[in-house]
Amino acid sequence: MTRFRIKLTFTILGLISLVLLLMGMYFAKVLENSYLQSLHELLSRESKLVAQAVRFPTVFDNQETLADRVLQVAPSDEVRLTIINLEGEVLYDNSSHADEMENHHDRPEMLAALNGETGISRRFSETLGYDMMYVAVPVEQGTNIVGAVRSAMSMKDITDTIHNMWYSLLTGLLVTLVVGSIVVSRISFSIIRPIEEITRVARNITQRQYESRVRIKAKDEIGQLAGAINFMASSLEQQMYEISENQQRLAGVLTNMTSGVIFISEQRRIMLVNPAVEKLLGTAGHELVGKLHIEAGKSFGLSQYIDRCLDKSEKFRQEIHIYYPQERVLDVNFAPYINFKGESRGVVVVLHDITDIRRLEKMRSDFVANVSHELRTPITSIKGFTETLLEGAMQDEETCRNFLQIISDESERLYRMIRDILDLSKIEQKRIPLHLSRVHVQELIRSAAAIMHDQAQRKQLKVTLPDSQPDIWLMTDKDCLQQIVLNLLTNAIAYTPEGGEITIRTEADDEHVTIQVSDTGIGIPEKDLTRIFERFYRVDKARSRDSGGTGLGLAIVKHLVDNLHGQIGVESVEGKGTTFTVTLPLG
């Protein structure tokens, strides 16, 4: 903006100088013409007066008489007077001797006068040494021209006057430039400063500094412009604040949504994704944005429905399976994006991960099927043996006793199953309150092992208990912990062959207590390890049923451990044995 100020200053000064120079030249020319016109009239009158006085033959032909007559008519020597005859010979000159002067016949003004006209000429006088103005008129005797009278006067005074005027003009111009530069600089500063201020604010606004304001309080047009700029900045600041707030809200909503959101432009490129999409598709957001949806989504089904929504601009919902980065079931909503003109400009895709819902639905279906199957087996046995007894088997006491024992065992099994189902339901719904107390871990394990002693003894299993020292105390629910240990021992006894070994270990650190139950049983295949905590899931269904288990023991253990804020893990080698590890917090 400083360059503009300098340019404006020099432009105004240049215009002032040009105007002054042109006016000076004009007035100098007018003054010069005025002087020349006055001088011409003066010399013309002088020449005509002398010509009238010397036209008589008695005067013109006698040099003495001629000189006397000229002195009588024009006694002053300010005007140089020269009289010649037709041949150009000088008859009289009041500044030089006529006899010594050259012939004047070829002088322009003399030729014009000898031809009957008034001759005018300006030139440098070799005789006098400066510029002269010459005016010559004919001397007439009747109708005949007998000579010419020339009046001449120096132009030195006029030249000096013109020169003085130019000096004065140049001096005035210089003074005007000095004063004008100061005044113009102040004026240009007063004009440019508001523009600089407005420019600064406009530049700040382009750099998103919307709080900038023009500090001008003038009431002229620039002041009105400054007010308009300030109003615009204030309006922009408010609008950008609202846009920023809306963007932050939208970003907050998109970031915290558990559902994935994808926006695809009409060019079929991904323009926006939220973090949930990154988890679902297993790809970082910056790697997805800008790519075609078919290469970014890695799902032909998903891309097919996106293209359908783009082509038909219709809203619909679809369930889709994806297999990368892992198999998932997605409930996907497709909706066209319509701009303010009512034009379809893209697709908004919302993805809901329903894998767990479908898995739970399958688990529920399996649970119902398993419960039905497990309940049907003892009920069928009870019904069959009861009908046999009613049909006459009661007459044989031994057969009746055996049948009644089977009915009793199946009823007990049915009771245990219903009890476990109810317990599991209560645990899952967290309807069993925790009664925290300080529990001696080794003592609780010994108590649980004593309860299972007879079952282990029947299979001649060796049960190794943890060391009693050092004492391990745990703040937990005693009944829950005892049920965990009992269920793990029951599971180990059921799947360990006769003569096998079961080992229970305990460890403690500053934060956790670990209980391990290891056996030398049949083990669990690796493919089944992830499912053993499911309800009614059995690795060896025939053997599990023979063992009298309900298939709910490990599911109950898993939920009890979760309720105590612990973790359970399993390691197993098929044919060599299994180790269950329960980790519980001390507090």
Side-chain angles (χ1 to χ4, degrees):
M1 194 59 72
T2 302
R3 292 181 178 178
F4 182 70
R5 185 189 300 173
I6 295 173
K7 183 178 179 181
L8 179 63
T9 301
F10 277 103
T11 300
I12 295 175
L13 289 177
L15 289 174
I16 293 174
S17 302
L18 181 61
V19 170
L20 289 176
L21 187 61
L22 291 176
M23 289 180 63
M25 292 176 64
Y26 173 76
F27 285 117
K29 195 67 178 175
V30 169
L31 183 61
E32 182 180 4
N33 290 335
S34 177
Y35 276 127
L36 291 176
Q37 184 67 26
S38 299
L39 184 60
H40 171 260
E41 292 177 357
L42 174 64
L43 294 178
S44 180
R45 287 195 302 269
E46 190 79 10
S47 297
K48 289 178 179 180
L49 179 62
V50 173
Q52 288 292 326
V54 301
R55 73 179 186 276
F56 304 105
T58 56
V59 176
F60 188 78
D61 294 334
N62 190 325
Q63 289 187 359
E64 292 182 2
T65 305
L66 181 64
D68 291 338
R69 180 58 61 89
V70 171
L71 289 175
Q72 290 176 2
V73 175
S76 174
D77 57 358
E78 291 181 2
V79 177
R80 180 182 180 184
L81 291 173
T82 305
I83 300 173
I84 63 172
N85 57 19
L86 283 175
E87 288 76 22
E89 296 176 354
V90 178
L91 301 177
Y92 173 81
D93 189 279
N94 61 353
S95 297
S96 299
H97 295 287
D99 297 339
E100 298 175 357
M101 296 178 67
E102 61 186 5
N103 191 291
H104 281 42
H105 186 273
D106 58 346
R107 305 297 168 89
E109 66 278 6
M110 293 300 191
L111 284 175
L114 293 175
N115 289 325
E117 299 175 358
T118 300
I120 303 172
S121 179
R122 290 174 56 188
R123 63 177 178 275
F124 183 78
S125 173
E126 296 293 343
T127 305
L128 300 177
Y130 43 79
D131 287 339
M132 299 285 291
M133 172 175 275
Y134 300 95
V135 176
V137 297
V139 178
E140 297 176 344
Q141 294 179 358
T143 58
N144 297 322
I145 298 175
V146 295
V149 176
R150 185 185 69 180
S151 300
M153 194 170 186
S154 172
M155 294 186 62
K156 186 173 181 303
D157 292 339
I158 297 176
T159 304
D160 291 343
T161 301
I162 297 298
H163 287 171
N164 290 335
M165 188 190 71
W166 276 110
Y167 292 147
S168 300
L169 179 63
L170 292 176
T171 303
L173 181 61
L174 181 61
V175 173
T176 302
L177 287 176
V178 173
V179 176
S181 63
I182 297 173
V183 174
V184 169
S185 177
R186 296 288 296 177
I187 294 174
S188 63
F189 177 77
S190 63
I191 296 174
I192 297 301
R193 183 175 173 277
I195 299 176
E196 289 178 342
E197 183 71 9
I198 293 172
T199 304
R200 179 189 65 81
V201 173
R203 188 180 296 112
N204 290 342
I205 290 174
T206 61
Q207 297 173 357
R208 298 189 176 183
Q209 298 178 15
Y210 302 109
E211 69 280 359
S212 295
R213 296 292 183 272
V214 181
R215 297 184 294 270
I216 297 175
K217 297 181 180 180
K219 296 182 179 180
D220 54 8
E221 287 77 4
I222 292 180
Q224 294 175 4
L225 176 61
I229 293 289
N230 287 338
F231 179 77
M232 180 186 70
S234 178
S235 178
L236 279 174
E237 183 179 13
Q238 180 64 27
Q239 292 178 17
M240 293 306 298
Y241 174 77
E242 292 177 0
I243 291 172
S244 177
E245 282 292 309
N246 291 334
Q247 286 180 340
Q248 290 181 2
R249 292 181 191 134
L250 178 60
V253 170
L254 291 176
T255 301
N256 293 289
M257 283 180 66
T258 56
S259 300
V261 177
I262 308 175
F263 176 70
I264 295 120
S265 69
E266 57 186 338
Q267 286 79 30
R268 290 172 165 75
R269 293 191 178 273
I270 297 175
M271 305 305 295
L272 180 146
V273 295
N274 68 338
V277 171
E278 300 178 10
K279 295 179 182 178
L280 291 175
L281 302 182
T283 308
H286 66 273
E287 296 180 6
L288 293 173
V289 173
K291 289 187 177 180
L292 293 171
H293 64 82
I294 193 167
E295 63 174 314
K298 299 180 181 178
S299 171
F300 176 75
L302 181 62
S303 297
Q304 186 179 19
Y305 289 119
I306 291 173
D307 288 334
R308 170 183 161 187
C309 188
L310 280 169
D311 295 336
K312 298 185 178 181
S313 297
E314 63 178 5
K315 185 178 181 180
F316 59 93
R317 179 180 177 184
Q318 197 71 34
E319 190 171 297
I320 297 174
H321 283 75
I322 63 172
Y323 301 94
Y324 180 85
Q326 63 185 34
E327 185 177 358
R328 294 179 188 270
V329 182
L330 302 178
D331 181 29
V332 186
N333 288 276
F334 301 88
Y337 166 69
I338 308 299
N339 66 7
F340 68 96
K341 294 181 178 180
E343 301 170 339
S344 178
R345 292 300 186 185
V347 173
V348 178
V349 182
V350 182
L351 304 92
H352 306 279
D353 187 0
I354 58 172
T355 306
D356 292 337
I357 296 175
R358 292 291 179 260
R359 182 176 61 82
L360 290 174
E361 288 177 351
K362 185 176 183 304
M363 287 176 61
R364 182 175 60 185
S365 177
D366 292 344
F367 175 72
V368 172
N370 287 331
V371 167
S372 301
H373 179 74
E374 295 294 338
L375 291 176
R376 185 169 60 246
T377 301
I379 290 174
T380 301
S381 298
I382 292 171
K383 182 180 179 183
F385 285 111
T386 302
E387 290 175 349
T388 303
L389 288 173
L390 291 174
E391 290 175 357
M394 294 179 63
Q395 305 303 323
D396 186 346
E397 183 178 351
E398 185 177 355
T399 300
C400 180
R401 182 176 294 279
N402 288 335
F403 282 8
L404 289 174
Q405 184 63 48
I406 292 173
I407 291 172
S408 176
D409 291 342
E410 292 297 331
S411 298
E412 179 63 26
R413 180 181 174 188
L414 186 61
Y415 169 74
R416 289 199 310 271
M417 187 181 301
I418 294 173
R419 183 196 62 196
D420 287 347
I421 290 173
L422 292 175
D423 288 346
L424 181 60
S425 177
K426 290 179 181 179
I427 294 169
E428 285 181 340
Q429 297 177 21
K430 302 188 184 299
R431 288 166 52 190
I432 298 179
L434 296 178
H435 301 286
L436 300 181
S437 62
R438 199 161 178 263
V439 178
H440 192 282
V441 177
Q442 293 99 325
E443 183 64 31
L444 183 141
I445 292 173
R446 282 194 291 270
S447 175
I451 295 172
M452 303 302 298
H453 177 73
D454 292 342
Q455 295 183 29
Q457 193 68 31
R458 282 196 294 268
K459 297 183 71 173
Q460 297 180 359
L461 300 176
K462 179 183 178 183
V463 179
T464 303
L465 299 178
D467 296 334
S468 58
Q469 296 296 328
D471 293 334
I472 299 176
W473 294 87
L474 181 65
M475 183 64 69
T476 187
D477 187 297
K478 182 177 181 179
D479 293 339
C480 288
L481 182 58
Q482 186 174 32
Q483 190 170 358
I484 290 170
V485 176
L486 282 173
N487 283 7
L488 291 177
L489 279 173
T490 301
N491 191 72
I493 291 170
Y495 294 101
T496 302
E498 292 185 1
E501 185 176 347
I502 298 173
T503 304
I504 305 175
R505 302 181 183 86
T506 57
E507 293 181 3
D509 55 26
D510 294 338
E511 297 181 357
H512 301 92
V513 172
T514 302
I515 300 173
Q516 282 188 338
V517 179
S518 303
D519 62 57
T520 57
I522 61 174
I524 304 170
E526 185 177 356
K527 65 183 179 63
D528 296 311
L529 285 176
T530 59
R531 301 191 60 189
I532 60 173
F533 295 109
E534 296 179 11
R535 291 169 286 190
F536 294 110
Y537 184 80
R538 292 187 175 91
V539 176
D540 186 346
K541 294 180 173 56
R543 178 155 185 177
S544 299
R545 198 164 283 116
D546 293 341
S547 68
T550 63
L552 297 172
L554 289 179
I556 291 173
V557 169
K558 178 69 168 66
H559 285 286
L560 286 173
V561 171
D562 289 342
N563 283 357
L564 296 177
H565 305 289
Q567 294 179 344
I568 184 170
V570 59
E571 296 178 358
S572 182
V573 178
E574 192 173 3
K576 292 186 178 181
T578 304
T579 299
F580 285 92
T581 303
V582 177
T583 303
L584 299 172
L586 275 177

